[in-house]
């Protein structure tokens, strides 16, 4: 499964509680599902826009290239 995934209408960010529009990016993290803003603030987004663990500088794909 890729990360982020498109949201279903009515899905809420577990961090800020904001509701997603259908198709918005949802990041599934160890801390729950997050909007792009919260995922970036918590260092879950690689510079390429894909999910990464906060303890790493890059996502899996970027770290291999």
């Amino acid at each position: 499964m890729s990360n982020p995934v498109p949201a279903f209408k009515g899905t809420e960010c577990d961090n800020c509680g904001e509701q997603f529009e259908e198709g918005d990016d949802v990041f599934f993290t160890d801390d729950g599902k997050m909007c792009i803003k919260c995922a970036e603030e918590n260092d879950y987004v690689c510079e390429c826009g894909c999910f990464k663990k906060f303890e790493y500088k890059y996502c899996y794909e970027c770290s291999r290239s």
Side-chain angles (χ1 to χ4, degrees):
M1 176 168 93
S2 65
N3 200 1
V5 297
F8 291 107
K9 185 176 173 113
T11 304
E12 290 184 0
C13 176
D14 290 337
N15 194 54
C16 70
E18 192 168 313
Q19 203 171 72
F20 294 96
E21 292 294 321
E22 188 171 350
D24 285 351
D25 285 340
V26 177
F27 286 83
F28 285 91
T29 71
D30 294 338
D31 298 321
K33 56 189 178 302
M34 291 189 188
C35 64
I36 184 76
K37 181 181 169 201
C38 290
E40 286 175 341
E41 288 174 358
N42 288 283
D43 206 24
Y44 282 109
V45 182
C46 181
E47 57 191 36
C48 73
C50 291
F51 170 81
K52 71 174 193 68
K53 293 278 192 169
F54 67 89
E55 60 264 22
Y56 298 111
K57 186 172 181 172
Y58 301 106
C59 69
Y60 178 76
E61 291 299 321
C62 289
S63 67
R64 297 194 64 198
S65 44

mmCIF file of all heavy atoms in Angstrom, residues 16-54:
data_model
loop_
_atom_site.group_PDB
_atom_site.id
_atom_site.type_symbol
_atom_site.label_atom_id
_atom_site.label_comp_id
_atom_site.label_asym_id
_atom_site.label_seq_id
_atom_site.Cartn_x
_atom_site.Cartn_y
_atom_site.Cartn_z
ATOM 1 N N CYS A 16 -5.028 16.921 14.320
ATOM 2 C CA CYS A 16 -5.661 18.236 14.481
ATOM 3 C C CYS A 16 -7.187 18.175 14.439
ATOM 4 O O CYS A 16 -7.848 19.156 14.761
ATOM 5 C CB CYS A 16 -5.154 19.203 13.420
ATOM 6 S SG CYS A 16 -5.695 18.858 11.725
ATOM 7 N N GLY A 17 -7.744 17.050 13.999
ATOM 8 C CA GLY A 17 -9.199 16.900 13.943
ATOM 9 C C GLY A 17 -9.847 17.486 12.707
ATOM 10 O O GLY A 17 -11.056 17.401 12.546
ATOM 11 N N GLU A 18 -9.053 18.080 11.818
ATOM 12 C CA GLU A 18 -9.602 18.665 10.598
ATOM 13 C C GLU A 18 -10.144 17.563 9.691
ATOM 14 O O GLU A 18 -9.563 16.489 9.580
ATOM 15 C CB GLU A 18 -8.521 19.456 9.871
ATOM 16 C CG GLU A 18 -9.054 20.321 8.772
ATOM 17 C CD GLU A 18 -8.012 21.295 8.258
ATOM 18 O OE1 GLU A 18 -7.345 21.940 9.085
ATOM 19 O OE2 GLU A 18 -7.878 21.383 7.024
ATOM 20 N N GLN A 19 -11.246 17.846 9.035
ATOM 21 C CA GLN A 19 -11.872 16.865 8.145
ATOM 22 C C GLN A 19 -11.282 16.985 6.742
ATOM 23 O O GLN A 19 -11.071 18.078 6.236
ATOM 24 C CB GLN A 19 -13.374 17.095 8.112
ATOM 25 C CG GLN A 19 -14.156 15.880 7.719
ATOM 26 C CD GLN A 19 -15.637 16.107 7.915
ATOM 27 O OE1 GLN A 19 -16.244 16.837 7.167
ATOM 28 N NE2 GLN A 19 -16.194 15.465 8.937
ATOM 29 N N PHE A 20 -10.994 15.839 6.130
ATOM 30 C CA PHE A 20 -10.452 15.797 4.786
ATOM 31 C C PHE A 20 -11.559 15.939 3.756
ATOM 32 O O PHE A 20 -12.687 15.515 3.984
ATOM 33 C CB PHE A 20 -9.780 14.435 4.510
ATOM 34 C CG PHE A 20 -8.565 14.172 5.328
ATOM 35 C CD1 PHE A 20 -8.640 13.429 6.492
ATOM 36 C CD2 PHE A 20 -7.325 14.620 4.914
ATOM 37 C CE1 PHE A 20 -7.510 13.162 7.245
ATOM 38 C CE2 PHE A 20 -6.188 14.358 5.647
ATOM 39 C CZ PHE A 20 -6.279 13.635 6.819
ATOM 40 N N GLU A 21 -11.220 16.520 2.635
ATOM 41 C CA GLU A 21 -12.085 16.471 1.467
ATOM 42 C C GLU A 21 -11.800 15.147 0.767
ATOM 43 O O GLU A 21 -10.690 14.599 0.884
ATOM 44 C CB GLU A 21 -11.774 17.629 0.516
ATOM 45 C CG GLU A 21 -12.141 18.988 1.053
ATOM 46 C CD GLU A 21 -13.638 19.168 1.233
ATOM 47 O OE1 GLU A 21 -14.407 18.697 0.377
ATOM 48 O OE2 GLU A 21 -14.031 19.787 2.235
ATOM 49 N N GLU A 22 -12.760 14.629 0.061
ATOM 50 C CA GLU A 22 -12.553 13.382 -0.672
ATOM 51 C C GLU A 22 -11.389 13.548 -1.648
ATOM 52 O O GLU A 22 -11.317 14.525 -2.393
ATOM 53 C CB GLU A 22 -13.819 13.004 -1.437
ATOM 54 C CG GLU A 22 -13.746 11.632 -2.052
ATOM 55 C CD GLU A 22 -15.075 11.185 -2.619
ATOM 56 O OE1 GLU A 22 -16.099 11.846 -2.385
ATOM 57 O OE2 GLU A 22 -15.085 10.146 -3.300
ATOM 58 N N GLY A 23 -10.430 12.629 -1.589
ATOM 59 C CA GLY A 23 -9.280 12.656 -2.474
ATOM 60 C C GLY A 23 -8.045 13.331 -1.891
ATOM 61 O O GLY A 23 -6.961 13.229 -2.459
ATOM 62 N N ASP A 24 -8.181 14.058 -0.764
ATOM 63 C CA ASP A 24 -7.017 14.661 -0.114
ATOM 64 C C ASP A 24 -6.045 13.568 0.320
ATOM 65 O O ASP A 24 -6.449 12.430 0.579
ATOM 66 C CB ASP A 24 -7.419 15.454 1.132
ATOM 67 C CG ASP A 24 -8.079 16.774 0.830
ATOM 68 O OD1 ASP A 24 -8.090 17.187 -0.348
ATOM 69 O OD2 ASP A 24 -8.591 17.397 1.788
ATOM 70 N N ASP A 25 -4.776 13.913 0.441
ATOM 71 C CA ASP A 25 -3.777 12.957 0.899
ATOM 72 C C ASP A 25 -3.918 12.690 2.393
ATOM 73 O O ASP A 25 -3.996 13.622 3.199
ATOM 74 C CB ASP A 25 -2.360 13.479 0.638
ATOM 75 C CG ASP A 25 -1.954 13.402 -0.815
ATOM 76 O OD1 ASP A 25 -2.581 12.622 -1.570
ATOM 77 O OD2 ASP A 25 -0.992 14.088 -1.197
ATOM 78 N N VAL A 26 -3.952 11.399 2.756
ATOM 79 C CA VAL A 26 -3.959 10.953 4.143
ATOM 80 C C VAL A 26 -2.671 10.172 4.368
ATOM 81 O O VAL A 26 -2.366 9.239 3.619
ATOM 82 C CB VAL A 26 -5.159 10.022 4.452
ATOM 83 C CG1 VAL A 26 -5.090 9.512 5.874
ATOM 84 C CG2 VAL A 26 -6.466 10.713 4.198
ATOM 85 N N PHE A 27 -1.921 10.558 5.388
ATOM 86 C CA PHE A 27 -0.707 9.844 5.754
ATOM 87 C C PHE A 27 -1.007 8.949 6.951
ATOM 88 O O PHE A 27 -1.475 9.427 7.986
ATOM 89 C CB PHE A 27 0.416 10.829 6.118
ATOM 90 C CG PHE A 27 0.996 11.523 4.930
ATOM 91 C CD1 PHE A 27 0.403 12.641 4.396
ATOM 92 C CD2 PHE A 27 2.153 11.045 4.345
ATOM 93 C CE1 PHE A 27 0.936 13.284 3.298
ATOM 94 C CE2 PHE A 27 2.701 11.675 3.240
ATOM 95 C CZ PHE A 27 2.092 12.792 2.719
ATOM 96 N N PHE A 28 -0.754 7.645 6.801
ATOM 97 C CA PHE A 28 -0.929 6.710 7.900
ATOM 98 C C PHE A 28 0.405 6.586 8.613
ATOM 99 O O PHE A 28 1.399 6.163 8.030
ATOM 100 C CB PHE A 28 -1.419 5.353 7.388
ATOM 101 C CG PHE A 28 -2.868 5.387 7.018
ATOM 102 C CD1 PHE A 28 -3.266 5.693 5.727
ATOM 103 C CD2 PHE A 28 -3.843 5.136 7.971
ATOM 104 C CE1 PHE A 28 -4.603 5.749 5.385
ATOM 105 C CE2 PHE A 28 -5.190 5.187 7.645
ATOM 106 C CZ PHE A 28 -5.568 5.489 6.343
ATOM 107 N N THR A 29 0.434 6.999 9.881
ATOM 108 C CA THR A 29 1.660 7.048 10.671
ATOM 109 C C THR A 29 1.507 6.189 11.918
ATOM 110 O O THR A 29 0.415 5.674 12.196
ATOM 111 C CB THR A 29 1.959 8.493 11.108
ATOM 112 O OG1 THR A 29 1.002 8.887 12.095
ATOM 113 C CG2 THR A 29 1.913 9.458 9.931
ATOM 114 N N ASP A 30 2.572 6.074 12.692
ATOM 115 C CA ASP A 30 2.498 5.378 13.970
ATOM 116 C C ASP A 30 1.584 6.113 14.947
ATOM 117 O O ASP A 30 1.103 5.540 15.915
ATOM 118 C CB ASP A 30 3.890 5.238 14.584
ATOM 119 C CG ASP A 30 4.806 4.332 13.772
ATOM 120 O OD1 ASP A 30 4.294 3.488 13.001
ATOM 121 O OD2 ASP A 30 6.037 4.460 13.904
ATOM 122 N N ASP A 31 1.359 7.403 14.699
ATOM 123 C CA ASP A 31 0.514 8.230 15.558
ATOM 124 C C ASP A 31 -0.909 8.379 15.028
ATOM 125 O O ASP A 31 -1.657 9.219 15.505
ATOM 126 C CB ASP A 31 1.142 9.617 15.708
ATOM 127 C CG ASP A 31 2.512 9.565 16.361
ATOM 128 O OD1 ASP A 31 2.686 8.759 17.291
ATOM 129 O OD2 ASP A 31 3.402 10.320 15.934
ATOM 130 N N GLY A 32 -1.272 7.594 14.019
ATOM 131 C CA GLY A 32 -2.612 7.659 13.441
ATOM 132 C C GLY A 32 -2.584 8.284 12.061
ATOM 133 O O GLY A 32 -1.536 8.520 11.483
ATOM 134 N N LYS A 33 -3.772 8.587 11.524
ATOM 135 C CA LYS A 33 -3.841 9.179 10.190
ATOM 136 C C LYS A 33 -3.731 10.695 10.303
ATOM 137 O O LYS A 33 -4.305 11.302 11.203
ATOM 138 C CB LYS A 33 -5.097 8.745 9.463
ATOM 139 C CG LYS A 33 -6.394 9.008 10.153
ATOM 140 C CD LYS A 33 -7.534 8.317 9.420
ATOM 141 C CE LYS A 33 -8.848 8.515 10.115
ATOM 142 N NZ LYS A 33 -8.917 8.054 11.485
ATOM 143 N N MET A 34 -2.942 11.282 9.387
ATOM 144 C CA MET A 34 -2.667 12.714 9.464
ATOM 145 C C MET A 34 -2.864 13.391 8.126
ATOM 146 O O MET A 34 -2.603 12.808 7.072
ATOM 147 C CB MET A 34 -1.231 12.971 9.913
ATOM 148 C CG MET A 34 -0.925 12.609 11.318
ATOM 149 S SD MET A 34 0.711 13.196 11.758
ATOM 150 C CE MET A 34 0.880 12.434 13.350
ATOM 151 N N CYS A 35 -3.263 14.658 8.192
ATOM 152 C CA CYS A 35 -3.315 15.508 7.009
ATOM 153 C C CYS A 35 -1.875 15.871 6.627
ATOM 154 O O CYS A 35 -0.944 15.669 7.406
ATOM 155 C CB CYS A 35 -4.138 16.770 7.288
ATOM 156 S SG CYS A 35 -3.467 17.872 8.546
ATOM 157 N N ILE A 36 -1.700 16.415 5.444
ATOM 158 C CA ILE A 36 -0.365 16.761 4.962
ATOM 159 C C ILE A 36 0.313 17.763 5.889
ATOM 160 O O ILE A 36 1.501 17.650 6.184
ATOM 161 C CB ILE A 36 -0.403 17.271 3.497
ATOM 162 C CG1 ILE A 36 0.999 17.551 2.959
ATOM 163 C CG2 ILE A 36 -1.240 18.519 3.358
ATOM 164 C CD1 ILE A 36 1.786 16.361 2.596
ATOM 165 N N LYS A 37 -0.424 18.735 6.393
ATOM 166 C CA LYS A 37 0.149 19.753 7.278
ATOM 167 C C LYS A 37 0.704 19.123 8.552
ATOM 168 O O LYS A 37 1.848 19.391 8.950
ATOM 169 C CB LYS A 37 -0.910 20.803 7.613
ATOM 170 C CG LYS A 37 -0.418 21.900 8.500
ATOM 171 C CD LYS A 37 -1.536 22.888 8.802
ATOM 172 C CE LYS A 37 -1.106 23.823 9.910
ATOM 173 N NZ LYS A 37 -2.218 24.444 10.582
ATOM 174 N N CYS A 38 -0.082 18.279 9.196
ATOM 175 C CA CYS A 38 0.357 17.632 10.434
ATOM 176 C C CYS A 38 1.494 16.641 10.170
ATOM 177 O O CYS A 38 2.431 16.546 10.963
ATOM 178 C CB CYS A 38 -0.802 16.927 11.116
ATOM 179 S SG CYS A 38 -2.020 18.071 11.808
ATOM 180 N N ALA A 39 1.414 15.907 9.056
ATOM 181 C CA ALA A 39 2.468 14.958 8.711
ATOM 182 C C ALA A 39 3.790 15.682 8.487
ATOM 183 O O ALA A 39 4.839 15.218 8.938
ATOM 184 C CB ALA A 39 2.072 14.147 7.479
ATOM 185 N N GLU A 40 3.745 16.831 7.815
ATOM 186 C CA GLU A 40 4.968 17.606 7.604
ATOM 187 C C GLU A 40 5.504 18.153 8.922
ATOM 188 O O GLU A 40 6.705 18.102 9.180
ATOM 189 C CB GLU A 40 4.710 18.758 6.631
ATOM 190 C CG GLU A 40 4.579 18.294 5.199
ATOM 191 C CD GLU A 40 4.203 19.402 4.232
ATOM 192 O OE1 GLU A 40 3.684 20.460 4.673
ATOM 193 O OE2 GLU A 40 4.424 19.205 3.027
ATOM 194 N N GLU A 41 4.628 18.659 9.774
ATOM 195 C CA GLU A 41 5.046 19.203 11.074
ATOM 196 C C GLU A 41 5.672 18.133 11.957
ATOM 197 O O GLU A 41 6.545 18.429 12.775
ATOM 198 C CB GLU A 41 3.858 19.837 11.799
ATOM 199 C CG GLU A 41 3.401 21.139 11.203
ATOM 200 C CD GLU A 41 2.139 21.679 11.846
ATOM 201 O OE1 GLU A 41 1.570 21.016 12.755
ATOM 202 O OE2 GLU A 41 1.695 22.763 11.416
ATOM 203 N N ASN A 42 5.223 16.893 11.819
ATOM 204 C CA ASN A 42 5.742 15.790 12.630
ATOM 205 C C ASN A 42 6.828 14.998 11.914
ATOM 206 O O ASN A 42 7.192 13.909 12.347
ATOM 207 C CB ASN A 42 4.592 14.873 13.052
ATOM 208 C CG ASN A 42 3.720 15.525 14.093
ATOM 209 O OD1 ASN A 42 4.102 15.588 15.253
ATOM 210 N ND2 ASN A 42 2.582 16.059 13.688
ATOM 211 N N ASP A 43 7.333 15.528 10.796
ATOM 212 C CA ASP A 43 8.464 14.973 10.043
ATOM 213 C C ASP A 43 8.192 13.582 9.466
ATOM 214 O O ASP A 43 9.061 12.730 9.450
ATOM 215 C CB ASP A 43 9.725 14.966 10.917
ATOM 216 C CG ASP A 43 10.997 15.022 10.092
ATOM 217 O OD1 ASP A 43 10.953 15.504 8.942
ATOM 218 O OD2 ASP A 43 12.046 14.576 10.593
ATOM 219 N N TYR A 44 6.955 13.374 8.974
ATOM 220 C CA TYR A 44 6.586 12.121 8.322
ATOM 221 C C TYR A 44 6.578 12.219 6.799
ATOM 222 O O TYR A 44 6.181 11.281 6.129
ATOM 223 C CB TYR A 44 5.195 11.655 8.771
ATOM 224 C CG TYR A 44 5.155 11.014 10.127
ATOM 225 C CD1 TYR A 44 4.571 11.649 11.211
ATOM 226 C CD2 TYR A 44 5.700 9.755 10.341
ATOM 227 C CE1 TYR A 44 4.524 11.057 12.456
ATOM 228 C CE2 TYR A 44 5.664 9.158 11.577
ATOM 229 C CZ TYR A 44 5.068 9.811 12.638
ATOM 230 O OH TYR A 44 5.026 9.225 13.868
ATOM 231 N N VAL A 45 7.000 13.361 6.238
ATOM 232 C CA VAL A 45 6.957 13.547 4.795
ATOM 233 C C VAL A 45 8.369 13.775 4.265
ATOM 234 O O VAL A 45 9.079 14.667 4.720
ATOM 235 C CB VAL A 45 6.057 14.747 4.406
ATOM 236 C CG1 VAL A 45 5.980 14.889 2.896
ATOM 237 C CG2 VAL A 45 4.665 14.570 4.992
ATOM 238 N N CYS A 46 8.751 12.953 3.296
ATOM 239 C CA CYS A 46 10.040 13.077 2.627
ATOM 240 C C CYS A 46 9.991 14.298 1.710
ATOM 241 O O CYS A 46 8.914 14.758 1.321
ATOM 242 C CB CYS A 46 10.311 11.808 1.811
ATOM 243 S SG CYS A 46 11.906 11.800 0.946
ATOM 244 N N GLU A 47 11.146 14.786 1.298
ATOM 245 C CA GLU A 47 11.171 15.936 0.385
ATOM 246 C C GLU A 47 10.525 15.626 -0.962
ATOM 247 O O GLU A 47 10.103 16.524 -1.674
ATOM 248 C CB GLU A 47 12.589 16.459 0.200
ATOM 249 C CG GLU A 47 13.573 15.439 -0.297
ATOM 250 C CD GLU A 47 15.010 15.925 -0.224
ATOM 251 O OE1 GLU A 47 15.368 16.644 0.709
ATOM 252 O OE2 GLU A 47 15.764 15.551 -1.134
ATOM 253 N N CYS A 48 10.370 14.334 -1.318
ATOM 254 C CA CYS A 48 9.697 13.955 -2.565
ATOM 255 C C CYS A 48 8.176 13.927 -2.408
ATOM 256 O O CYS A 48 7.455 13.773 -3.385
ATOM 257 C CB CYS A 48 10.194 12.591 -3.049
ATOM 258 S SG CYS A 48 9.592 11.194 -2.078
ATOM 259 N N GLY A 49 7.674 14.053 -1.169
ATOM 260 C CA GLY A 49 6.239 14.059 -0.917
ATOM 261 C C GLY A 49 5.682 12.741 -0.427
ATOM 262 O O GLY A 49 4.509 12.654 -0.089
ATOM 263 N N CYS A 50 6.513 11.707 -0.369
ATOM 264 C CA CYS A 50 6.071 10.396 0.112
ATOM 265 C C CYS A 50 6.266 10.284 1.628
ATOM 266 O O CYS A 50 6.992 11.051 2.238
ATOM 267 C CB CYS A 50 6.855 9.290 -0.584
ATOM 268 S SG CYS A 50 6.460 9.128 -2.325
ATOM 269 N N PHE A 51 5.621 9.287 2.208
ATOM 270 C CA PHE A 51 5.751 9.007 3.633
ATOM 271 C C PHE A 51 7.158 8.530 3.963
ATOM 272 O O PHE A 51 7.796 7.830 3.194
ATOM 273 C CB PHE A 51 4.741 7.917 4.022
ATOM 274 C CG PHE A 51 4.949 7.378 5.405
ATOM 275 C CD1 PHE A 51 4.465 8.070 6.496
ATOM 276 C CD2 PHE A 51 5.626 6.192 5.616
ATOM 277 C CE1 PHE A 51 4.654 7.573 7.784
ATOM 278 C CE2 PHE A 51 5.809 5.695 6.891
ATOM 279 C CZ PHE A 51 5.329 6.385 7.976
ATOM 280 N N LYS A 52 7.628 8.932 5.135
ATOM 281 C CA LYS A 52 8.870 8.400 5.700
ATOM 282 C C LYS A 52 8.699 8.333 7.206
ATOM 283 O O LYS A 52 7.859 9.017 7.786
ATOM 284 C CB LYS A 52 10.059 9.280 5.340
ATOM 285 C CG LYS A 52 10.062 10.620 6.050
ATOM 286 C CD LYS A 52 11.336 11.376 5.770
ATOM 287 C CE LYS A 52 11.508 12.565 6.691
ATOM 288 N NZ LYS A 52 11.741 12.254 8.074
ATOM 289 N N LYS A 53 9.467 7.495 7.846
ATOM 290 C CA LYS A 53 9.489 7.461 9.307
ATOM 291 C C LYS A 53 10.203 8.720 9.786
ATOM 292 O O LYS A 53 11.167 9.173 9.168
ATOM 293 C CB LYS A 53 10.239 6.225 9.816
ATOM 294 C CG LYS A 53 9.549 4.920 9.514
ATOM 295 C CD LYS A 53 8.500 4.674 10.540
ATOM 296 C CE LYS A 53 8.011 3.244 10.437
ATOM 297 N NZ LYS A 53 7.203 2.874 11.548
ATOM 298 N N PHE A 54 9.749 9.296 10.898
ATOM 299 C CA PHE A 54 10.316 10.564 11.350
ATOM 300 C C PHE A 54 11.781 10.458 11.738
ATOM 301 O O PHE A 54 12.520 11.422 11.675
ATOM 302 C CB PHE A 54 9.499 11.179 12.490
ATOM 303 C CG PHE A 54 9.541 10.388 13.767
ATOM 304 C CD1 PHE A 54 10.520 10.609 14.709
ATOM 305 C CD2 PHE A 54 8.577 9.432 14.022
ATOM 306 C CE1 PHE A 54 10.553 9.884 15.890
ATOM 307 C CE2 PHE A 54 8.592 8.692 15.197
ATOM 308 C CZ PHE A 54 9.589 8.924 16.129
#
